Amino acid sequence: MSDKAFLKLPRVLITEPLRSKLSDSAIVLYSYLISLYELSVRNGERFRDENGRYYVVCPISTVMRLLNCCNNKAESVYTQA
């Protein structure tokens, strides 16, 4: 990714009623996962399961680095997203 890369933030994530259920970290992670999903779609068959659904690979270590947090918080945020 370039230095000018950015994340899209879907409006629905910052409006009620979803907003009250998600932490700020979960919103950032969800936006990041959306960008990974879009990348999977662009890469075609490589990131499709046996049912034809696209998927993303995002290990906890990546979440920890993205959010600058420990394992416990990363797992907690992952369950929200």
Side-chain angles (χ1 to χ4, degrees):
M1 294 183 134
S2 75
D3 290 339
K4 297 179 182 180
F6 61 92
L7 295 175
K8 295 177 185 177
L9 178 62
R11 189 174 309 216
V12 69
L13 294 179
I14 57 174
T15 57
E16 294 295 331
L18 259 181
R19 178 65 188 109
S20 63
K21 297 177 183 173
L22 297 174
S23 67
D24 293 341
S25 296
I27 290 171
V28 170
L29 177 58
Y30 193 86
S31 296
Y32 180 72
L33 293 173
I34 289 171
S35 72
L36 290 181
Y37 174 80
E38 290 171 348
L39 184 61
S40 293
V41 171
R42 283 196 302 270
N43 284 324
E45 296 303 314
R46 184 170 175 211
F47 291 97
R48 284 186 126 173
D49 66 12
E50 59 278 353
N51 296 316
R53 296 174 297 202
Y54 292 100
Y55 65 91
V56 299
V57 176
C58 184
I60 290 293
S61 59
T62 300
V63 177
M64 291 169 58
R65 197 169 43 255
L66 175 70
L67 300 177
N68 192 30
C69 66
C70 67
N71 187 291
N72 289 343
K73 177 170 180 169
E75 289 178 358
S76 173
V77 171
Y78 219 133
T79 61
Q80 288 182 50

